[in-house]
């Protein structure tokens, strides 16, 4: 009974906060060139002009085709794919918003530094809230680095356009800020106390 009440309390408290915890790990067998689009819509996350690629998809020059052997979840990863004509920008949209920080892994063997940007509106609209630069971190896609994009406010979208030159992404995640968690737990405690008085 107490667990059910706590679960209800957390459920009631959570809509007041921007960040819903999620992890997009791209961990599936993607058909070559398959777009990610709304594959993760159950998490409130969608993509435009982003494709999923998998180990064993024919790209693997390493033994066993483990092209992404060093990725945190190595079955699948994601790339922005642009044609420069109709597909000129790539975005990740988060319906519930991300507050303060987005975490992810990247592999950048391109030799060029690229930037991911956070925006207050969908598809790179609204105010620019912050950005992170991804430097080169290896000579192939077996080298991966964890990083975070920290910003002020709530981001509804992340501009991935600059990564289209060959930067791979994996395990994109967001968690509520500690203050939000404390407020949610505080709300749960109040509801539990009210329940006990009855």
């Amino acid at each position: 009974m107490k667990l059910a009440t706590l679960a209800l309390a957390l459920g009631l408290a959570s809509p007041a906060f921007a960040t819903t915890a999620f992890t997009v790990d791209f961990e599936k067998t993607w058909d070559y060139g398959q777009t990610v689009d709304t594959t993760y819509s159950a998490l409130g996350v969608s993509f435009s002009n982003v494709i999923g690629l998998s180990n064993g998809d024919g790209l693997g020059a390493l033994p066993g085709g483990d092209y992404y052997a060093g990725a945190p979840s190595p079955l699948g990863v994601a790339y922005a794919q642009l044609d420069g004509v109709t597909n000129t920008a790539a975005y990740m949209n988060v319906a519930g918003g991300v507050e303060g920080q987005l975490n992810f892994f990247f592999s950048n063997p391109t030799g060029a530094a690229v930037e991911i940007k956070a925006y207050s509106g969908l598809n790179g609209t609204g105010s620019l809230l912050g950005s992170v630069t991804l430097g080169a971190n290896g000579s192939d896609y077996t080298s991966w680095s964890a990083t975070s994009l920290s910003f002020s406010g709530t981001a509804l979208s992340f501009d991935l356009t600059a990564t289209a030159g060959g930067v791979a992404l994996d395990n994109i995640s967001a968690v509520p800020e500690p203050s939000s968690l404390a407020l949610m737990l505080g709300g749960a405690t109040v509801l539990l106390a009210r329940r006990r008085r009855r």
Side-chain angles (χ1 to χ4, degrees), residues 4 8 28 44 48 62 65 82 90 111 127 133 139-140 156-157 159 167 189:
L8 175 63
K28 62 173 275 186
S48 61
L62 301 172
L82 307 176
S127 301
T133 300
S139 59
D140 59 30
L156 294 181
S157 67
D159 186 344
V167 177
T189 303

Side-chain angles (χ1 to χ4, degrees), residues 35-42 45-47:
T35 57
V36 179
D37 292 340
T38 58
T39 301
Y40 298 96
S41 60
V45 181
S46 63
F47 294 85

